[in-house]
Amino acid sequence: MYIAKPQTDEYTKCVLVTGAVGFVGSHIAETLLREEHVKVVAYDIFNSETTVSEEKKENAAILKETANMYASYGASVHIVHGDIRDKEKLIETIKKYDVTACVHVGGMVDDRRSVTHPEEYIDVNIRGTATLLDALGQCGVKMVVQASTRSVFGQRANNDTYLTETAERRPINPYGASKVGADAMAHCYSHLYKMNVTLVRIFATYGPRGRPDMIPRILIENIVNDKPIRKFGEGTATRTWIYISDIVSAFVCALKNPCNGFAEFNTGAPNSTTLNELIACAEKVIGKKATIDHCPVPPGDAHTVGHPCYDLIKDTLGWEPKVGVEEGMRRTYNHYIQHS
Ligand SMILES: O=C(O)[C@H]1O[C@H](OP(=O)(O)OP(=O)(O)OC[C@H]2O[C@@H](n3ccc(=O)[nH]c3=O)[C@H](O)[C@@H]2O)[C@H](O)[C@@H](O)[C@H]1O
């Protein structure tokens, strides 16, 4: 059961962020520097298959600039090139910087790609997570917030289903299955080392610096540049898109409110959006029609995914999403225009 301890900065003196130059990780690290003024150790492998390595370098530069801007308040960043499967490097890093907490968002992503590369997902997401948590535990770190995903639930026949934290896990691709394993490791190591480990489960997030394989970014870049959109299926697949700043606030809130032992929270938007609705939304925000290339649905792609029930995080930490899809797509488009 979740019992929040009082808000504390005891654990947030030095936060190790895994995947810190990826999409979600870079936003969390940037917010920790800008708003919490802490020391961030940005740990990342830098050469993931599912993002552009140039963009990772740019994200690292953003973290350095932000740390410089808030240095007088105590913010600092140390960029470390490292793999979460490398226990020696992890232990060396944790000791060197005197890490007090970890936000673990690093790992392999992309549901569809995982179907053709299952071994990478199992190795990084399950073995890597176990290696990281074991290293943290051995070094006496007591506070971890770890990313989970709606992909652990797979899909549901009825889109009206509300998925609570205890909903049945029915992954439909190796990515989702590997994250069920990573979630289980979180519980296991919270028990073994008496660490406070909170899972924050993300239901499809998007925003500036978003991943190139995900549809919100594809829509914006391809419509602007007159490139066709590969639309999988009829466009009736649903997602509850949640804007990145809402996800970041869930992670920061969980970090500042340590659980006693293990906790997990579903986070997400209240309304689901079909692929056709998201395409229409992008067209409205950009003011231009998309060119559609109709494609079959790839294996492992979820259709109706239900809704997250986020009552638990709302009731215990007071977290709620604030940014609707149209506003979020507008902000993402504006950022793209300003930076391209
Ligand atoms: O929440 C997560 O944990 C996961 O979110 C994301 O998965 P999904 O929710 O499936 O988002 P996304 O890929 O944008 O596809 C959305 C819709 O667009 C359709 N889609 C997608 C791409 C494309 O080129 N064409 C297309 O029609 C597609 O058919 C689908 O209907 C991450 O990929 C995953 O790594 C993980 O982070």
Side-chain angles (χ1 to χ4, degrees), residues 110-112 149-150 204 211 214-215 230 232 239 301:
D110 192 341
D111 301 63
R112 292 177 293 276
T149 166
R150 62 129 195 96
R211 291 215 329 266
M214 290 184 68
I215 197 70
R230 295 168 67 231
F232 301 144
R239 296 291 184 272
D301 200 19

Side-chain angles (χ1 to χ4, degrees), residues 119-147:
E119 298 83 1
E120 287 177 30
Y121 288 76
I122 295 162
D123 198 42
V124 175
N125 292 346
I126 302 181
R127 183 165 77 88
T129 296
T131 306
L132 169 72
L133 293 170
D134 198 22
L136 291 163
Q138 281 182 30
C139 294
V141 177
K142 292 291 177 203
M143 180 66 213
V144 180
V145 183
Q146 179 173 310

Side-chain angles (χ1 to χ4, degrees), residues 186-301:
H187 186 273
C188 151
Y189 283 99
S190 74
H191 173 79
L192 290 175
Y193 287 110
K194 300 198 173 11
M195 287 194 277
N196 304 307
V197 184
T198 301
L199 294 180
V200 173
R201 186 162 295 114
I202 307 172
F203 281 60
T205 185
Y206 69 103
R209 315 203 294 261
R211 291 215 329 266
D213 58 292
M214 290 184 68
I215 197 70
R217 173 162 168 182
I218 293 171
L219 285 173
I220 290 172
E221 289 189 0
N222 289 20
I223 294 174
V224 169
N225 297 305
D226 298 313
K227 288 189 189 157
I229 315 290
R230 295 168 67 231
K231 180 169 121 181
F232 301 144
E234 297 301 313
T236 49
T238 58
R239 296 291 184 272
T240 55
W241 292 105
I242 181 152
Y243 191 65
I244 186 67
S245 59
D246 284 328
I247 283 300
V248 170
S249 72
F251 274 85
V252 174
C253 199
L255 191 63
K256 289 165 75 176
N257 294 274
C259 64
N260 273 324
F262 176 80
E264 58 186 316
F265 293 124
N266 287 352
T267 57
N271 305 313
S272 65
T273 306
T274 64
L275 179 56
N276 286 335
E277 286 166 345
L278 193 70
I279 295 170
C281 176
E283 290 175 331
K284 182 178 173 193
V285 163
I286 299 167
K288 197 168 160 192
K289 281 277 174 204
T291 308
I292 301 294
D293 178 7
H294 293 274
C295 297
V297 178
D301 200 19

